[in-house]
């Protein structure tokens, strides 16, 4: 279904070997997510447990929604009065950043057959970041690599939130601060992208605009204004940015 | 909320989330030529989005109260320093996280 890499084809390897190598290449990239998602998932599962939900809830949410911050917000919604319209609008607003991921991935997900559907379904912040920036080795298959990154990340989240939902308040924390692993990962990914780019205008723009919007609109409302401002400024800067050609961005 | 209302609410959250993930691919299908402006966005957006994600992951930090974001700033400096030095993703991430955990648990 997906194209095997040239090297793999030349060596006449079978499909199984390529899948295995793709897994081996993908796994190390997901280790920080393993730490982060097990911990955050556990926190989420415990939160649902102490809010009076069976572990079935976090389990199903981790398999279907698979968008961390949204799942936390959903707990409050499920405890409140029934308001499907509000749930719809709030979800769109909280998850609007996925639109940017999709636009960035239009090319990379091209021609991956059925895998593409799962890759889009499971495109959380972390899977997008890794799949966009990772240097996929020549002997691995791009489609399988991205598939394993996405599936492993979802598995970690599923594991954490289900265990948290089952054991709930029994778990004692000595892990304060472990959630910084996600921040650390985003910083590293930001730096990797910076080193690849020839122009740094969009990187600085993203950082600066988001910070300004966070200060003006506050933690709960800054994403949408930040996204609008980023697109607006990138549109204004289209001419100068396109001049710095030569594979400037990835 | 009744169990049915809960199921409907979750279904709506799933639907709206999937809408945000699938929409670009539905509007710009692989078979058709993607508009130039969208292609341009696809190239320049990621760097900006990673900046947005860094800020997003730090949105809970309060610089006015408590530890004033000092442990975060130190840990960020450690991550950047390690990454400039070794450029090994796992070392930079693990190093920064361990320093942060020690800071919030023992120092601040």
């Amino acid at each position: 279904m997906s194209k095997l890499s040239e090297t793999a084809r030349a060596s006449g390897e079978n499909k199984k070997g390529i899948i295995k190598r793709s897994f081996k290449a993908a796994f190390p990239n997901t280790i920080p997510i393993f730490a982060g998602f097990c911990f955050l998932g556990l926190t989420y599962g415990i939160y649902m447990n102490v809010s009076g939900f069976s572990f079935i809830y976090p389990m199903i949410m981790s398999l279907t929604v698979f968008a961390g911050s949204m799942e936390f917000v959903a707990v409050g919604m499920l405890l409140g009065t029934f308001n499907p319209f509000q749930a719809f609008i709030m979800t769109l607003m909280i998850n609007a950043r996925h639109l940017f991921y999709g636009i960035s991935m239009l090319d990379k997900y091209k021609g991956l057959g059925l895998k593409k559907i799962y890759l889009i379904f499971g495109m959380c912040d972390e899977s997008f970041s890794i799949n966009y920036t990772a240097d996929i080795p020549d002997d691995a298959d791009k489609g399988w690599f991205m598939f394993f990154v996405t599936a492993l990340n979802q598995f970690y989240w599923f594991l954490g939130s289900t265990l948290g939902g089952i054991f709930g308040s029994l778990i004692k924390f000595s892990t304060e601060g472990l959630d910084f692993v996600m921040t650390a990962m985003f910083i590293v990914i930001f730096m990797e992208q910076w080193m690849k780019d020839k122009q740094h205008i969009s990187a600085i723009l993203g950082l600066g605009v988001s910070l300004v919007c966070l200060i003006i609109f506050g933690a709960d409302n800054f994403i949408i204004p930040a996204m609008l401002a980023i697109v607006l400024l990138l549109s204004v800067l289209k001419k100068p940015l396109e001049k710095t050609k030569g594979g400037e961005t990835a | 909320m009744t169990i049915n209302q809960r199921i409907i609410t979750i279904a709506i959250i799933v639907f709206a989330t999937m809408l945000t993930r699938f929409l670009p691919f539905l509007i710009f299908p692989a078979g058709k030529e993607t508009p130039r402006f969208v292609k341009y966005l696809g190239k320049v957006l990621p760097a900006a989005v990673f900046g947005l994600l860094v800020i997003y992951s730090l949105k809970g930090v309060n610089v006015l109260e408590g530890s004033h974001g000092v442990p975060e700033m130190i840990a960020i400096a450690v991550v950047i320093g390690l990454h400039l030095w070794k450029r090994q993703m796992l070392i930079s991430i693990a190093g920064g996280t361990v320093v942060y955990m020690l800071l919030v648990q023992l120092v601040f």
Side-chain angles (χ1 to χ4, degrees):
Chain A
M1 199 169 296
S2 50
K3 269 186 260 164
L4 305 180
S5 71
E6 292 303 318
T7 337
R9 226 194 288 233
S11 63
E13 285 254 2
N14 59 9
K15 205 175 170 208
K16 225 173 150 186
I18 289 148
I19 295 175
K20 216 171 150 183
R21 270 203 306 275
S22 306
F23 180 86
K24 274 189 186 159
F27 175 68
N29 288 284
T30 70
I31 293 173
I33 320 291
F34 174 75
F37 273 16
C38 281
F39 171 69
L40 288 174
L42 213 59
T43 321
Y44 165 64
I46 293 169
Y47 181 41
M48 282 222 97
N49 178 298
V50 296
S51 305
F53 292 95
S54 144
F55 76 93
I56 303 284
Y57 281 87
M59 194 174 91
I60 288 178
M61 303 277 278
S62 72
L63 291 174
T64 55
V65 183
F66 188 41
S69 45
M70 189 54 230
E71 291 178 45
F72 275 98
V73 175
V75 181
M77 285 183 186
L78 290 169
L79 290 171
T81 45
F82 184 57
N83 192 340
F85 182 70
Q86 196 198 344
F88 183 72
I89 298 297
M90 270 187 81
T91 310
L92 285 184
M93 282 174 50
I94 292 171
N95 286 332
R97 63 189 188 284
H98 294 149
L99 294 171
F100 281 9
Y101 306 167
I103 292 172
S104 311
M105 280 306 202
L106 285 172
D107 266 348
K108 297 209 180 213
Y109 285 171
K110 225 171 233 174
L112 298 176
L114 278 178
K115 275 193 232 75
K116 181 175 170 178
I117 296 172
Y118 175 69
L119 287 172
I120 301 170
F121 169 84
M123 193 168 54
C124 62
D125 303 331
E126 294 76 10
S127 297
F128 159 71
S129 308
I130 294 175
N131 283 336
Y132 187 85
T133 43
D135 286 317
I136 303 169
D138 287 338
D139 63 348
D141 174 69
K142 179 183 122 196
W144 281 110
F145 177 95
M146 297 197 290
F147 173 83
F148 284 126
V149 166
T150 310
L152 281 168
N153 287 348
Q154 184 163 21
F155 174 69
Y156 304 148
W157 181 255
F158 161 80
L159 194 72
S161 37
T162 307
L163 288 176
I166 294 172
F167 297 109
S169 43
L170 293 177
I171 299 165
K172 277 267 173 252
F173 282 101
S174 57
T175 47
E176 193 197 346
L178 183 57
D179 54 341
F180 189 80
V181 74
M182 293 283 112
T183 307
M185 192 195 75
F186 288 132
I187 291 169
V188 168
I189 283 174
F190 179 85
M191 288 177 74
E192 282 293 316
Q193 185 65 33
W194 181 283
M195 292 170 191
K196 275 183 202 168
D197 281 350
K198 283 206 178 122
Q199 56 88 5
H200 302 303
I201 298 167
S202 35
I204 296 167
L205 209 81
L207 212 54
V209 167
S210 307
L211 186 62
V212 169
C213 287
L214 174 65
I215 294 166
I216 298 175
F217 299 98
D220 296 328
N221 300 308
F222 83 99
I223 295 263
I224 305 272
M227 284 175 64
L228 291 174
I230 287 171
V231 170
L232 193 78
L233 286 168
L234 285 176
S235 322
V236 173
L237 294 170
K238 185 165 182 277
K239 279 239 166 82
L241 280 179
E242 277 191 327
K243 259 182 201 159
T244 50
K245 270 278 176 202
E248 70 282 50
T249 37
Chain B
M1 252 193 233
T2 65
I3 181 84
N4 281 332
Q5 290 176 332
R6 278 183 175 177
I7 292 170
I8 293 169
T9 304
I10 293 174
I12 285 170
I13 294 170
V14 173
F15 175 73
T17 303
M18 288 314 141
L19 203 61
T20 61
R21 286 184 182 158
F22 278 91
L23 207 58
F25 297 91
L26 297 175
I27 300 177
F28 311 111
K32 273 194 200 158
E33 184 65 20
T34 312
R36 272 197 56 190
F37 180 66
V38 176
K39 270 192 183 165
Y40 160 75
L41 277 186
K43 273 188 187 158
V44 292
L45 263 184
V49 171
F50 295 135
L52 173 75
L53 280 172
V54 169
I55 301 297
Y56 180 69
S57 72
L58 289 165
K59 67 177 175 163
V61 179
N62 191 340
V63 288
L64 301 176
E65 285 168 51
S67 54
H68 301 280
V70 175
E72 284 79 9
M73 276 187 254
I74 297 173
I76 289 169
V78 170
V79 174
I80 294 174
L82 280 174
H83 203 64
L84 288 175
W85 180 35
K86 292 272 182 193
R87 210 173 168 183
Q88 290 282 325
M89 238 176 154
L90 289 178
I91 294 176
S92 320
I93 295 171
T97 306
V98 168
V99 167
Y100 183 75
M101 288 175 78
L102 290 174
L103 285 174
V104 292
Q105 288 184 23
L106 304 174
V107 185
F108 289 92

